[in-house]
Amino acid sequence: AVASVASQLAPLYLDNNTVSKILDDMAVEDGLSSKRDDAIEKLITNRLRINNMRDFKVRDNIDISRSRDGVELVMDYEVRMKLVGNIDMIVSFEKTIKLRS
């Protein structure tokens, strides 16, 4: 049973690690905060596609928040999957990064 759950969880955490790494890389790039929201979304989508993550919906899972302090990317999503019968497993992920000016 433990091996079965682990085999279902491993891909979720690997995908989250990929998205998290993409956001971390964007945090250290200069000039991204001056780009429009749709350009930032397209950049994230292209980087996900390069990493063979085609099912991650950027618009639904990552919010671009602009304030006087700068631009933040807020990743907040959850994945629900059947475990056994009517028992579901929910895994949630959250991360916030600030873009450089």
Side-chain angles (χ1 to χ4, degrees), residues 23-90:
L23 295 179
D24 287 340
D25 290 346
M26 292 179 74
V28 297
E29 287 184 38
D30 291 326
L32 287 181
S33 63
S34 63
K35 292 186 181 273
R36 295 184 2 206
D37 291 358
D38 59 338
I40 294 172
E41 286 178 13
K42 187 174 181 178
L43 185 65
I44 296 169
T45 301
N46 289 340
R47 291 179 183 194
L48 288 169
R49 195 170 291 137
I50 288 170
N51 286 288
N52 202 24
M53 288 189 59
R54 303 186 189 289
D55 295 333
F56 189 87
K57 298 191 180 0
V58 174
R59 191 165 294 229
D60 296 338
N61 299 320
I62 298 178
D63 292 322
I64 300 170
S65 174
R66 295 183 182 271
S67 67
R68 290 182 183 177
D69 298 333
V71 179
E72 289 184 338
L73 300 179
V74 181
M75 175 186 68
D76 186 14
Y77 71 100
E78 66 182 29
V79 179
R80 176 185 295 252
M81 55 186 1
K82 289 255 182 233
L83 190 58
V84 176
N86 65 345
I87 300 173
D88 289 351
M89 178 171 44
I90 301 171

